[in-house]
Amino acid sequence: EKVVTKLLELKNDAAGKKWLAKQRASTKMMLLKELGQLYLHKNNANKENPGFLGVSMAQYVNDYYMHRYGLKKMAEKRFVEMCVGAMKTQSESLRIRIFARMLGIFQPLDIEMQNWYLALWDFLRSSTNIGVSIENDESAEVQWAPVSRALECARIHLSEKVPQDVYHDVTRRIEAMGRPDPKRINKSGRIEIEKFLDFMLTTYSKQLKQSQSSLRHLYMAADTNGDGSLSVLELGILCQIIEPHLVGHREAQRMFDAAQRDFAFSLSEHGGDMPMEVFCEVALRFSLFSPATIAKKLTVPASEDEEKSFELLKQSWLDQKDSIMALAQRAPPVDKHRVVGRSTHLEQLIAQRQQSAAAWMCLRLLEIESKRIALDLAVMEYMPTLALAVFAARNVTVEESDPPIESS
């Protein structure tokens, strides 16, 4: 990153431009040939060791050359040649321009987007039963893949990350990008890999901005004690409410462990809990809490006027407060503590009047929990044995003196 930053500084300086013009640089042909190998190695590293998901392409390329040549000076020289080559030829090739973005030379891609791009690239070039693979020269400026495989790639890697109307529009545009296969092997036609990947990056980056906004609001809603960080318990509760079919408390613990491994410094500053930026990174990495899922589970009324939104929210809370608190008094101690804590947090958000979307999400979380508690109380009243089974499945402590839970 330091090398790239220095090169960009030179690029914007008159004397620096002269120096860069004299530097030895990788040619376009050399870059195109080497990109495939670098992508392959980095994607394989991501699959074999999740720790590599937190390593940027610039850092990985530098380490790759260090491992290849064994000498720091030679590795840095080769890395600089590649960076300078990418700077000089990025306008001539879309493949090189995207690689330059990965290095941080041109409209930098963050690490999450880099890993997502590599996953798409790997799927298009892998041997699958979707379409007939098309042979591509590694040094060719244009490479092709079956349209059917591109559509499947979008379904797997994008359909759950964007609203359905956006996804349907994406599929239509992918089909429009297709060209007839000259060999007539792929009936669906063929599509330029780099144009497809660039289109997917553009689409997903727009959605990612919306995701980050939604995740920040969700984080504020879930931080019930208001300490500016999420504990593993708070994360587990959030997953249980919004993604119950995907994530339970054990999976939440594994996510927390991954965050501690990859973001140890950030977590150490918050007493081992998860700050907002780490939560956003982890949610995106594990494909959790998409804007579509959040919008479906935690409906936030559309309003550009924050003051009106807070007034509506305040009235909605007052209409439900008595019934929710009465329900909490009948609930088990753990549930009662959770409802009271979230209610207090909601009232604090309303009083602060800063982020109405976060406050609305907090109310929706409270409503969902209240409905679940009401159902549990009904089951406990009419089917106590079944209630014990439900609580046991949720990791609620059951005393040894309680009657045994039948397997049925």
Side-chain angles (χ1 to χ4, degrees):
E1 280 80 1
K2 290 179 181 179
V3 173
V4 172
T5 301
K6 184 63 178 176
L7 289 173
L8 291 175
E9 289 175 358
L10 292 170
K11 182 183 177 183
N12 297 322
D13 179 73
K17 288 181 179 179
K18 291 181 180 179
W19 182 86
L20 286 172
K22 295 177 182 178
Q23 288 302 301
R24 181 176 176 180
S26 298
T27 64
K28 183 170 78 171
M29 190 68 71
M30 290 169 60
L31 280 171
L32 290 172
K33 192 170 184 179
E34 199 151 13
L35 289 189
Q37 289 300 315
L38 288 170
Y39 287 172
L40 181 64
H41 287 298
K42 177 65 165 74
N43 194 63
N44 287 340
N46 288 350
K47 291 179 179 178
E48 294 168 6
N49 183 356
F52 277 101
L53 291 168
V55 177
S56 69
M57 179 59 76
Q59 183 62 54
Y60 183 81
V61 172
N62 186 72
D63 294 346
Y64 172 82
Y65 285 133
M66 186 65 194
H67 179 75
R68 182 173 173 180
Y69 296 112
L71 297 173
K72 184 178 179 182
K73 191 172 182 179
M74 187 177 291
E76 286 184 349
K77 180 182 177 183
R78 183 70 192 92
F79 180 65
V80 170
E81 288 177 2
M82 171 163 274
C83 289
V84 174
M87 291 171 72
K88 290 181 176 180
T89 60
Q90 63 176 333
S91 61
E92 302 174 23
S93 168
L94 183 56
R95 287 178 64 197
I96 296 175
R97 184 155 65 252
I98 293 177
F99 179 65
R101 294 183 66 187
M102 287 192 175
L103 295 179
I105 294 171
F106 168 77
Q107 295 180 352
L109 291 173
D110 59 34
I111 295 177
E112 176 65 28
M113 291 295 287
Q114 293 177 24
N115 292 330
W116 192 70
Y117 172 90
L118 291 175
L120 301 183
W121 178 87
D122 180 63
F123 184 88
L124 290 178
R125 295 173 60 89
S126 62
S127 298
T128 69
N129 58 359
I130 309 296
V132 179
S133 296
I134 298 173
E135 291 292 329
N136 288 297
D137 183 353
E138 288 297 333
S139 59
E141 192 165 337
V142 178
Q143 297 184 330
W144 302 90
V147 171
S148 56
R149 192 172 299 180
L151 290 168
E152 181 67 7
C153 181
R155 186 189 69 79
I156 293 173
H157 294 282
L158 191 68
S159 62
E160 297 297 323
K161 299 178 184 293
V162 299
Q164 284 301 300
D165 59 330
V166 175
Y167 171 64
H168 291 318
D169 181 61
V170 165
T171 57
R172 285 193 294 269
R173 295 184 64 179
I174 290 173
E175 289 170 348
M177 291 165 65
R179 297 290 179 269
D181 186 346
K183 295 183 179 181
R184 297 182 180 179
I185 297 175
N186 286 288
K187 294 182 179 179
S188 63
R190 61 178 187 168
I191 190 171
E192 285 189 42
I193 291 178
E194 230 49 51
K195 284 187 177 181
F196 166 75
L197 294 176
D198 185 54
F199 166 66
M200 292 286 280
L201 279 177
T202 303
T203 303
Y204 186 43
S205 62
K206 289 179 181 177
Q207 196 63 31
L208 203 56
K209 290 180 181 178
Q210 296 179 19
S211 296
Q212 289 170 339
S213 176
S214 297
L215 288 171
R216 290 190 184 96
H217 292 146
L218 182 61
Y219 182 91
M220 292 174 66
D223 182 19
T224 51
N225 60 7
D227 63 352
S229 58
L230 285 187
S231 65
V232 65
L233 178 61
E234 287 173 322
L235 179 63
I237 292 169
L238 190 62
C239 292
Q240 191 179 44
I241 294 173
I242 300 181
E243 304 275 15
H245 61 296
L246 293 178
V247 183
H249 282 288
R250 291 180 181 176
E251 288 78 6
Q253 182 64 60
R254 282 199 285 269
M255 289 166 60
F256 219 86
D257 293 341
Q260 287 180 320
R261 181 186 65 239
D262 298 337
F263 304 97
F265 179 75
S266 296
L267 266 65
S268 65
E269 289 185 328
H270 291 77
D273 289 344
M274 191 179 289
M276 182 181 289
E277 64 273 12
V278 175
F279 170 76
C280 293
E281 286 283 345
V282 170
L284 291 170
R285 181 179 301 181
F286 285 87
S287 300
L288 293 173
F289 313 130
S290 68
T293 302
I294 294 174
K296 184 178 180 181
K297 291 283 182 108
L298 310 176
T299 308
V300 175
S303 175
E304 296 181 0
D305 190 330
E306 283 280 282
E307 193 63 31
K308 287 184 179 179
S309 183
F310 271 113
E311 286 301 320
L312 182 63
L313 171 64
K314 184 177 179 180
Q315 188 59 50
S316 181
W317 168 233
L318 289 175
D319 292 342
Q320 303 179 65
K321 182 177 180 179
D322 290 343
S323 61
I324 289 177
M325 298 310 294
L327 193 64
Q329 295 303 317
R330 298 168 52 211
V334 173
D335 289 332
K336 178 181 177 181
H337 176 74
R338 191 184 301 176
V339 170
V340 171
R342 199 177 296 285
S343 300
T344 303
H345 181 53
L346 173 60
E347 291 180 344
Q348 289 173 346
L349 291 173
I350 293 174
Q352 292 169 359
R353 289 182 175 261
Q354 291 181 351
Q355 296 286 346
S356 63
W360 274 108
M361 287 184 187
C362 186
L363 176 61
R364 298 307 184 215
L365 290 171
L366 197 53
E367 291 170 348
I368 293 171
E369 284 192 291
S370 299
K371 289 178 182 178
R372 194 262 306 163
I373 291 171
L375 180 61
D376 285 351
L377 290 174
V379 171
M380 187 182 296
E381 182 178 353
Y382 295 105
M383 293 177 285
T385 303
L386 177 59
L388 286 172
V390 171
F391 294 149
R394 290 190 183 135
N395 298 321
V396 176
T397 303
V398 179
E399 299 296 333
E400 291 183 4
S401 59
D402 288 334
I405 300 172
E406 297 177 4
S407 60
S408 58

